[in-house]
Amino acid sequence: MINFETSPEQYNHWKLSVDGPVATLSMDVQEDETLNEGYKLKLNSYDLGVDIELSDAVQRLRFEHPEVKVVLVTSLKPRIFCAGANIYMLGTSAHGFKVNFCKFTNETRCSIEDASRHSGQRYVAALNGTASGGGYELAIACDEIYLVDDGNSAVSLPEVPLLGVLPGTGGLTRLVDKRKVRRDRADVFSTLAEGLKAKRAAEWGLIDGHFPTSKFQAGVKERVEKIVESEGQRNVGPGIKLNPLDVEITDAGREYRHVSLKLKREGRYAELTVRGPSGNQPSSVDEIVAHGDAYWPLRAYRELDDALLYLRLNEPEIGLVLLRTEGEIDDVLAVDRTLVENRDHWLVREIILNMARVLRRLDLTAKSFFALAGPQSCFAGNLLELLLASDRSYMLGDPDQKIELAVGELSAGALPMSNGLTRLQSRFLAEPHRADEVLAHVGRFDTEEADDAGLVTFAPDDLDWDDEIRVAVEERTSLSPDALTGMEASLRFAGPETMDTKIYGRLTAWQNWIFQRPNAVGPQGALTNYGKPTQPQFDYKRT
Amino acid sequence: MINFETSPEQYNHWKLSVDGPVATLSMDVQEDETLNEGYKLKLNSYDLGVDIELSDAVQRLRFEHPEVKVVLVTSLKPRIFCAGANIYMLGTSAHGFKVNFCKFTNETRCSIEDASRHSGQRYVAALNGTASGGGYELAIACDEIYLVDDGNSAVSLPEVPLLGVLPGTGGLTRLVDKRKVRRDRADVFSTLAEGLKAKRAAEWGLIDGHFPTSKFQAGVKERVEKIVESEGQRNVGPGIKLNPLDVEITDAGREYRHVSLKLKREGRYAELTVRGPSGNQPSSVDEIVAHGDAYWPLRAYRELDDALLYLRLNEPEIGLVLLRTEGEIDDVLAVDRTLVENRDHWLVREIILNMARVLRRLDLTAKSFFALAGPQSCFAGNLLELLLASDRSYMLGDPDQKIELAVGELSAGALPMSNGLTRLQSRFLAEPHRADEVLAHVGRFDTEEADDAGLVTFAPDDLDWDDEIRVAVEERTSLSPDALTGMEASLRFAGPETMDTKIYGRLTAWQNWIFQRPNAVGPQGALTNYGKPTQPQFDYKRT
């Protein structure tokens, strides 16, 4: 079982040190500390285990070290920054694992950009040696890139010429969309196995600067100090500690404090329930800070995140997630109000940003989600987003019971999808005024009102409910999982596209395609034959 | 060999009739008139041959019948509009063919929308019976959709539930992005094999209206008349005839009047040369009309279009196209000036719109393009777009010869890419002022100026030229064709996305992936087993 929880004391591959406003995140991959067997992580190449640590570090820097203004990403290996995803790991992994591995590494890189954009933690890649493939893709997720000019070190994306696959972690998209490298130069660079050294890399906009070996550390330091200075004073911290989640793991599922995951493996679905807040909740920033990671919106969403990642990587045959909530609508709305009232406080801001990231993780999860609003449900405020993020929603229509939804202020923009829209905007593309009407609605929505407002897909009555849900589950889980993945990726992201959606939609889909082409993974494919004395043999038909 | 030229007299599957401002395009697929063997085109299902006729009809309506304001698309088969792409044809086709078939049908549907948007030819789908799969995708490419309400006829996208693949002709994207159907309803609709009948289809926004059988013809007629009226008076026509292209076909290539295609099959590349205009060219609209389809910018681009389609479908192993031009820069620029000066005339507008479509066909062709600017080249005006559309460009630097580029006014917006940008904007995303500077440049660019302006990738001198081109060709044609296709699809379309780019990038890539998944095309896959007594068996792992 792949475990996504870790902490700096347990890191094998990264050293995290914090010195006032500057954190240094140093890659020093231990080649034998692999997640699976059959490969060694040479030359700072990585597998999912390495990236789980990186993801954890990016997350902790925001919550535990909010005073940090610059994160310096570098390597402790001489003459090598990072060689990218380990090729033997890729060559020996199942298709589904490769795809989910790439998705997670993409999310980590997007979380770096999210920290830079929203938390004022700027990332500087100090390439003390060659950054190839995923190594350069990690660098290009940072705000600035500096390369040592030692006559040897280069940046490169050698996937196409060496491996017959694409750079799978956003490299191509960030090349032309983030750094806006001219497309013909991007073409040359992406087909040049050896990449480009400092001078030309800077000319073409692949890096932001370079220094000779003797001046590299001082040059980078000077730049880092400038950024620290330009970020100005900030009233933040001290940070709060992110403690391990308390989860009870059985074969039947995972029980967290606020989240319950029940696996129905024989039916190929899972039941995921998020419990709303209960008991006294903080109402001031002092109380929020005192609660720390026990505060419901932080804890519950960390648990939800862990459950989603668990499902993706460990339960591939589960194709459908039935999403439920349990609790009091008023309690959820009260938490939302506290968050909104105190959103200028750094910790509250981080809590909301984290909720947004977890919801985007759900949007991007290749499983179907059906939201079920029945008795005791509390799809309200931030939890209404779970219903809006689902592929469908069912709300019980029962005159004898109070079943309601409620909208809160966070749905107005604080929890955007990857395409930049709110889930309400995305839902009502045809009638934008409906999103405004939902937001302006006073009080709760009963089933009929929710149906009229367009918030739910179906509203069966209590006589039909059980049958309708049962049939829907059976139908959904009987369909081709591949067709569903492609369909959901198309229907979930209507409207505008952003660099993120291009990475998850366009680039990922092409990479998935290539990841199963014989030219890459067949017995004579380039990925299969990398590092072997045999040469790849291509079927040269263009598709 | 698949031939893309046809004309109404030769149509097997469509009847085109024109009655003043209204054209009727009626589908009546002859089940035995197939492009390949092994399947019958029952129930108005289609193969590439059917779509080649549709594409021809859409094109001819613009040039030969500019007076047409509404094109009514309907079927001559009772109770069936169109059953979509023929499933047995898909099941027996090679992967590359399926992908290129879908691309062409997508381009045809985009050309319908292009005719509606830019030529004032509105398309109305009169669904006199069920429209399923590609049948509904054809309807959704039209401006308005009317369905007969006979208690039986439905619209549907049954690909996911029945075939384990995606609707491959833009259906999912148009559902949520064009018709802006709510994503949860789109989810239900796209997983419902039987689809939705008139009433609910209208409620959910899948169609624009419905009429009972007895009132269907009259109801549609009334709507058509309203559109004709609302389009107002127009000063167009008479149309010009699009005559067959005069092409000399040998095993070594295709020689058109202005285009030459030489196949270097052993090297897996082709040499495609477009010759600029020569001799006296029309300078007034009367002369342009008199020239008709012999006018260079119409003829040359029709030939280029045919050559590109030929390469895509008939020469899959050719992975690289060396693009050259031959002629006088002044002559190309003179044609451009005439076009720009007379662009308000309907025929000139159509000629320019066609050039734009052909250039977009090039952008979307899954082959590498290298532009070579040497002696006698005329990459100027509209032909400069060929160089800008290429993945790379090489320009000879030779002080003893005059080698020049020139920009014309058409590059400022008349020939947009699918993403809505000009090729200059797309090239200079990082420095938008450079696009303006190129457009404002007085006179021609010699090699050094072109290089400085960022117009060319490499500018080798005459000593290096032959070797550099030879090595570049050898390198490119040695790479994995799949990786190149994915890479080019990512690098060519930086910047904004549109419905078109989503269809070609996101949806197509997912469909290509699914088209080779065992769950679709394996021995137990859904596509393979459709219509057989055997049931598909899925590997339920979600990817």
Side-chain angles (χ1 to χ4, degrees):
Chain A
M1 198 192 72
I2 299 172
N3 170 30
F4 288 86
E5 281 209 90
T6 184
S7 63
E9 311 80 64
Q10 303 172 66
Y11 291 172
N12 286 311
H13 309 294
W14 294 90
K15 304 274 181 297
L16 176 60
S17 67
V18 176
D19 182 11
V22 180
T24 304
L25 195 46
S26 305
M27 197 175 201
D28 189 14
V29 175
Q30 302 305 300
E31 62 181 52
D32 293 320
E33 297 290 338
T34 60
L35 198 65
N36 287 304
E37 300 197 341
Y39 56 91
K40 278 176 182 286
L41 295 172
K42 290 183 194 266
L43 300 172
N44 265 1
S45 63
Y46 59 82
D47 67 0
L48 181 58
V50 178
D51 222 67
I52 287 172
E53 294 181 5
L54 174 60
S55 174
D56 181 77
V58 174
Q59 177 83 328
R60 278 179 200 281
L61 280 164
R62 300 172 82 158
F63 283 98
E64 301 188 355
H65 303 284
E67 74 281 9
V68 164
K69 295 175 179 171
V70 177
V71 183
L72 193 62
V73 182
T74 190
S75 144
L76 295 180
K77 298 256 193 289
R79 287 180 302 284
I80 181 88
F81 171 70
C82 167
N86 187 276
I87 296 163
Y88 304 100
M89 178 276 292
L90 288 175
T92 55
S93 296
H95 179 68
F97 179 84
K98 278 204 284 283
V99 169
N100 273 296
F101 163 73
C102 286
K103 188 179 282 180
F104 182 80
T105 57
N106 269 318
E107 287 170 324
T108 303
R109 276 125 202 90
C110 287
S111 79
I112 288 175
E113 292 172 328
D114 190 68
S116 169
R117 195 177 303 122
H118 298 298
S119 304
Q121 296 193 329
R122 318 291 291 177
Y123 277 72
V124 174
L127 311 182
N128 54 307
T130 287
S132 54
Y136 180 61
E137 289 179 298
L138 172 57
I140 205 174
C142 298
D143 296 283
E144 299 185 9
I145 309 173
Y146 298 94
L147 174 63
V148 66
D149 184 5
D150 58 5
N152 192 41
S153 293
V155 292
S156 67
L157 291 177
E159 284 86 347
V160 171
L162 286 189
L163 307 174
V165 299
L166 300 186
T169 321
L172 295 178
T173 305
R174 286 199 176 83
L175 211 52
V176 291
D177 271 301
K178 180 179 184 179
R179 297 195 69 94
K180 299 184 168 62
V181 172
R182 235 173 59 199
R183 54 168 283 201
D184 56 335
R185 287 175 164 175
D187 180 278
V188 173
F189 175 62
S190 308
T191 53
L192 203 62
E194 67 271 27
L196 295 177
K197 292 177 196 165
K199 187 163 166 287
R200 204 168 211 194
E203 276 172 22
W204 283 20
L206 301 166
I207 61 173
D208 295 282
H210 50 88
F211 306 100
T213 312
S214 61
K215 295 183 182 158
F216 186 69
Q217 291 219 328
V220 170
K221 188 158 178 278
E222 194 183 332
R223 182 59 203 142
V224 165
E225 282 165 0
K226 280 227 175 82
I227 302 175
V228 168
E229 213 170 290
S230 70
E231 287 287 313
Q233 284 299 314
R234 234 182 256 171
N235 186 16
V236 293
I240 61 153
K241 176 108 180 88
L242 295 181
N243 293 292
L245 299 175
D246 189 18
V247 50
E248 187 190 319
I249 301 170
T250 64
D251 186 55
R254 295 165 81 85
E255 289 294 326
Y256 304 82
R257 197 175 304 168
H258 306 295
V259 170
S260 161
L261 177 66
K262 291 191 174 28
L263 305 167
K264 308 288 178 181
R265 291 199 187 89
E266 71 293 350
R268 292 193 296 275
Y269 68 96
E271 298 186 324
L272 182 60
T273 303
V274 181
R275 288 182 285 271
S278 60
N280 281 341
Q281 294 292 323
S283 61
S284 69
V285 291
D286 287 347
E287 287 172 31
I288 291 172
V289 171
H291 260 63
D293 74 340
Y295 186 31
W296 179 85
L298 178 52
R299 183 69 172 220
Y301 276 81
R302 284 180 69 212
E303 293 174 351
L304 177 58
D305 204 31
D306 194 63
L308 291 171
L309 289 171
Y310 168 82
L311 278 172
R312 279 191 193 172
L313 270 297
N314 295 298
E315 300 288 345
E317 289 218 353
I318 285 186
L320 170 64
V321 180
L322 300 181
L323 263 175
R324 290 190 181 86
T325 50
E326 257 177 46
E328 295 296 328
I329 286 181
D330 280 341
D331 293 343
V332 187
L333 293 176
V335 165
D336 275 25
R337 267 195 305 278
T338 303
L339 292 174
V340 168
E341 280 163 14
N342 298 291
R343 66 196 298 175
D344 291 337
H345 185 265
W346 76 268
L347 177 57
V348 176
R349 186 192 64 215
E350 289 304 332
I351 289 170
I352 296 172
L353 288 167
N354 186 58
M355 294 161 87
R357 286 196 297 283
V358 175
L359 289 165
R360 287 199 290 272
R361 180 104 73 193
L362 195 159
D363 294 331
L364 291 166
T365 295
K367 300 190 185 287
S368 303
F369 289 88
F370 288 178
L372 305 183
Q376 278 87 55
S377 72
C378 59
F379 286 105
N382 67 79
L383 294 182
L384 182 66
E385 294 291 314
L386 295 178
L387 181 139
L388 298 173
S390 295
D391 297 296
R392 300 180 189 182
S393 50
Y394 294 80
M395 186 170 181
L396 176 62
D398 183 350
D400 300 335
Q401 297 188 76
K402 214 171 179 176
I403 296 155
E404 296 171 321
L405 309 180
V407 70
E409 209 180 309
L410 289 176
S411 291
L415 306 169
M417 296 175 63
S418 304
N419 62 8
L421 298 186
T422 68
R423 286 179 190 77
L424 282 172
Q425 288 172 329
S426 187
R427 187 172 190 84
F428 297 118
L429 276 180
E431 304 166 292
H433 62 91
R434 290 196 145 220
D436 300 332
E437 283 162 17
V438 168
L439 286 168
H441 183 89
V442 178
R444 303 177 180 187
F445 295 85
D446 65 20
T447 303
E448 201 182 324
E449 289 168 330
D451 197 22
D452 289 346
L455 289 173
V456 293
T457 319
F458 296 113
D461 63 25
D462 52 340
L463 285 178
D464 294 335
W465 177 265
D466 286 345
D467 266 357
E468 188 156 339
I469 303 300
R470 184 182 53 74
V471 170
V473 170
E474 283 174 10
E475 279 181 359
R476 189 67 159 207
T477 55
S478 75
L479 300 179
S480 159
D482 307 322
L484 287 175
T485 291
M487 183 190 86
E488 289 158 3
S490 297
L491 298 182
R492 289 179 185 173
F493 297 95
E497 298 259 344
T498 61
M499 193 176 71
D500 287 11
T501 61
K502 286 168 94 157
I503 289 172
Y504 292 112
R506 182 185 273 271
L507 181 62
T508 297
W510 281 112
Q511 176 73 315
N512 292 0
W513 175 68
I514 293 163
F515 261 162
Q516 46 168 23
R517 297 288 287 164
N519 282 336
V521 297
Q524 303 192 302
L527 196 59
T528 313
N529 283 274
Y530 182 78
K532 294 184 184 165
T534 45
Q535 287 291 311
Q537 302 287 326
F538 293 135
D539 172 349
Y540 277 106
K541 284 194 206 76
R542 270 282 192 137
T543 301
Chain B
M1 197 191 73
I2 299 171
N3 170 30
F4 289 86
E5 280 210 89
T6 185
S7 64
E9 311 79 65
Q10 304 172 65
Y11 291 173
N12 286 310
H13 310 294
W14 293 90
K15 305 272 181 298
L16 175 60
S17 68
V18 176
D19 182 11
V22 180
T24 304
L25 195 46
S26 305
M27 197 174 200
D28 188 15
V29 175
Q30 302 305 300
E31 61 181 55
D32 292 321
E33 295 292 336
T34 60
L35 199 66
N36 287 304
E37 300 194 342
Y39 57 90
K40 278 176 183 285
L41 295 173
K42 290 184 195 266
L43 300 173
N44 265 1
S45 63
Y46 58 83
D47 67 358
L48 181 59
V50 179
D51 221 67
I52 287 172
E53 294 181 5
L54 174 61
S55 172
D56 181 77
V58 174
Q59 177 84 329
R60 278 180 202 280
L61 280 165
R62 301 173 80 158
F63 283 99
E64 301 189 354
H65 303 284
E67 73 282 9
V68 164
K69 295 174 180 171
V70 177
V71 183
L72 193 63
V73 183
T74 191
S75 145
L76 295 181
K77 298 255 192 292
R79 289 180 300 284
I80 182 88
F81 172 69
C82 168
N86 186 275
I87 297 164
Y88 304 100
M89 177 277 292
L90 288 175
T92 55
S93 295
H95 179 68
F97 178 84
K98 277 203 285 283
V99 169
N100 272 297
F101 163 72
C102 286
K103 187 179 284 180
F104 182 81
T105 57
N106 269 317
E107 288 170 324
T108 303
R109 276 125 201 89
C110 287
S111 80
I112 287 175
E113 293 173 328
D114 191 68
S116 169
R117 195 176 303 123
H118 298 298
S119 303
Q121 296 192 331
R122 318 290 292 177
Y123 277 70
V124 174
L127 311 183
N128 54 307
T130 287
S132 53
Y136 179 62
E137 289 179 298
L138 172 57
I140 206 175
C142 298
D143 295 283
E144 300 185 8
I145 309 174
Y146 297 94
L147 174 62
V148 66
D149 185 5
D150 58 5
N152 193 40
S153 292
V155 292
S156 67
L157 291 177
E159 285 86 346
V160 171
L162 287 189
L163 307 174
V165 301
L166 300 186
T169 322
L172 296 177
T173 305
R174 286 199 177 86
L175 212 53
V176 291
D177 271 301
K178 182 179 183 180
R179 297 195 70 93
K180 299 184 169 63
V181 172
R182 235 172 60 197
R183 53 168 282 199
D184 55 336
R185 289 176 163 174
D187 179 279
V188 174
F189 176 63
S190 307
T191 53
L192 203 62
E194 67 272 26
L196 295 177
K197 292 178 197 165
K199 187 162 166 287
R200 204 169 212 194
E203 274 172 24
W204 285 20
L206 301 166
I207 61 173
D208 295 282
H210 50 89
F211 306 100
T213 311
S214 61
K215 296 184 182 157
F216 186 69
Q217 291 218 328
V220 170
K221 187 157 178 276
E222 193 182 336
R223 182 61 202 142
V224 165
E225 282 165 2
K226 279 227 175 82
I227 302 175
V228 167
E229 213 171 290
S230 70
E231 287 288 313
Q233 283 299 315
R234 233 182 257 170
N235 187 16
V236 294
I240 62 154
K241 176 108 182 89
L242 296 181
N243 292 292
L245 300 174
D246 188 19
V247 50
E248 186 190 321
I249 301 170
T250 64
D251 186 56
R254 296 166 80 85
E255 288 295 326
Y256 304 82
R257 199 174 303 167
H258 305 295
V259 170
S260 160
L261 177 67
K262 291 188 172 33
L263 306 166
K264 307 288 178 181
R265 292 198 186 89
E266 70 294 348
R268 292 192 296 275
Y269 68 95
E271 298 186 325
L272 182 59
T273 303
V274 180
R275 288 181 286 271
S278 59
N280 282 341
Q281 295 291 322
S283 61
S284 69
V285 291
D286 288 345
E287 287 172 31
I288 290 171
V289 171
H291 261 62
D293 75 339
Y295 186 30
W296 178 84
L298 178 52
R299 183 70 174 217
Y301 277 80
R302 284 181 69 211
E303 293 174 351
L304 177 57
D305 205 31
D306 193 63
L308 291 171
L309 289 171
Y310 168 83
L311 278 172
R312 280 191 192 171
L313 270 298
N314 295 297
E315 300 288 346
E317 290 219 351
I318 285 187
L320 169 65
V321 179
L322 301 180
L323 264 176
R324 290 189 181 85
T325 49
E326 257 178 45
E328 295 296 328
I329 286 180
D330 280 341
D331 293 342
V332 187
L333 292 176
V335 166
D336 275 24
R337 267 195 306 276
T338 303
L339 293 173
V340 168
E341 281 163 15
N342 298 291
R343 65 196 298 174
D344 291 335
H345 185 263
W346 77 268
L347 177 56
V348 176
R349 187 192 64 215
E350 289 303 333
I351 289 170
I352 296 172
L353 287 167
N354 186 59
M355 295 162 87
R357 287 196 297 283
V358 176
L359 289 165
R360 288 199 290 272
R361 181 104 74 191
L362 194 159
D363 294 331
L364 291 166
T365 296
K367 300 192 186 284
S368 304
F369 289 88
F370 288 179
L372 304 182
Q376 277 87 53
S377 71
C378 58
F379 286 107
N382 67 79
L383 294 181
L384 182 66
E385 294 291 314
L386 295 177
L387 181 140
L388 298 173
S390 296
D391 297 295
R392 301 180 189 180
S393 50
Y394 294 80
M395 186 170 180
L396 176 62
D398 182 350
D400 299 335
Q401 298 187 77
K402 214 172 180 176
I403 295 154
E404 295 171 321
L405 309 180
V407 70
E409 210 181 306
L410 288 177
S411 291
L415 306 169
M417 297 174 62
S418 305
N419 62 8
L421 299 185
T422 69
R423 286 180 189 78
L424 283 171
Q425 287 172 329
S426 186
R427 188 173 190 84
F428 297 118
L429 276 181
E431 304 166 292
H433 62 90
R434 289 195 147 221
D436 300 330
E437 283 163 18
V438 168
L439 286 168
H441 183 90
V442 178
R444 303 178 180 187
F445 295 85
D446 65 21
T447 303
E448 200 181 323
E449 290 167 330
D451 197 22
D452 289 346
L455 289 172
V456 294
T457 320
F458 296 114
D461 64 25
D462 53 339
L463 285 178
D464 294 334
W465 176 265
D466 287 345
D467 267 357
E468 189 157 338
I469 303 299
R470 183 182 53 75
V471 169
V473 169
E474 284 174 10
E475 278 182 359
R476 189 66 159 207
T477 55
S478 75
L479 299 180
S480 159
D482 308 321
L484 287 176
T485 291
M487 182 190 87
E488 289 158 4
S490 298
L491 298 182
R492 288 179 185 174
F493 297 96
E497 299 260 342
T498 61
M499 195 177 71
D500 287 10
T501 62
K502 285 168 95 158
I503 289 170
Y504 293 111
R506 181 186 274 270
L507 181 64
T508 298
W510 282 112
Q511 177 73 314
N512 291 0
W513 176 67
I514 292 163
F515 263 162
Q516 46 168 21
R517 297 288 287 164
N519 282 336
V521 297
Q524 305 192 301
L527 196 59
T528 313
N529 283 275
Y530 181 78
K532 294 186 186 165
T534 46
Q535 287 293 310
Q537 301 288 325
F538 293 136
D539 173 349
Y540 277 106
K541 284 194 204 74
R542 271 279 193 140
T543 300

